[in-house]
Amino acid sequence: EVQLVESGGGLVQPGGSLRLSCAASGFTFSGYWMSWVRQAPGKGLEWVANTKFDGSEKYYVDSVKGRFTISRDNAKNSLYLQMNSLRGEDTAVYYCATRRGDFWGQGTMVTVSS
Amino acid sequence: DVVVTQSPLALPVTLGQPASISCRSSQSLVSSDGNTYLNWFHQRPGQSPRRLIYQVSNRDSGVPDRFSGSGSDTDFTLRISRVEAEDVGVYHCMQGSHWPWTFGQGTKVEIK
């Protein structure tokens, strides 16, 4: 059974940092491009970042470019999102997903507030 | 960025009746590799999205055949042939042909 389990969310002050993790199991993690997608409370979905199988290519939506970094450790079947210089508009549920959207995690909530 | 526009944003439906949702993009969704990456997702309250349809018209494993997707270029449709109670929730279309990938606003389906 495919599982993606996110962790690391929480409450952080504006300007602060947070690192999200996603533990994958039940599929060949190293064979998939992976992504982070977010959803602000009561709002639609926003695709945040993609990373290639080996991490050699990374893509970001403009709103997070220079502040967020997507990375992966294929030996640990894990995906990460380092979030720096956080803003109120980054408040959202963050989902780990495969690039084509076939598998999703349950999400982890990030709240940026003073 | 490609703008994806869904309509309607709210869709009251009668059990057993058909329903359809439109999704239009601001530019062609034919990718550089020749494929059209237009997906449909269903999301229930408090749950993650679940992909129903990929590349316009391909149903994911376990998705009932009452769901179908069609369209091309910039104009796409999700159809439910006979709505069941479990179909309520928000439907999202999403283009994965041009970075950054973008979603429509979502269509909330509820039973009348």
Side-chain angles (χ1 to χ4, degrees), chain A:
Chain A
E1 180 197 1
V2 170
Q3 279 202 311
L4 293 170
V5 180
E6 300 94 336
S7 60
L11 174 64
V12 61
Q13 292 190 339
S17 298
L18 215 53
R19 189 195 195 208
L20 306 183
S21 299
C22 171
S25 61
F27 67 105
T28 306
F29 180 74
S30 59
Y32 280 75
W33 284 68
M34 293 298 297
S35 305
W36 288 97
V37 183
R38 67 183 179 182
Q39 187 170 35
K43 301 295 185 183
L45 294 157
E46 181 180 38
W47 209 282
V48 173
N50 283 349
T51 181
K52 197 177 179 181
F53 320 107
D54 58 358
S56 61
E57 292 182 32
K58 302 177 184 184
Y59 300 87
Y60 301 92
V61 69
D62 280 352
S63 58
V64 309
K65 214 173 280 185
R67 300 188 299 123
F68 289 14
T69 302
I70 187 172
S71 62
R72 64 192 297 162
D73 185 337
N74 287 343
K76 294 183 178 179
N77 286 343
S78 292
L79 180 72
Y80 307 101
L81 186 67
Q82 177 66 44
M83 304 186 295
N84 299 332
S85 303
L86 282 160
R87 306 167 180 166
E89 55 264 36
D90 297 318
T91 294
V93 174
Y94 284 75
Y95 296 101
C96 164
T98 51
R99 181 179 67 148
R100 291 302 178 194
D102 37 354
F103 305 135
W104 293 68
Q106 86 289 349
T108 187
M109 183 70 204
V110 172
T111 303
V112 183
S113 175
S114 54

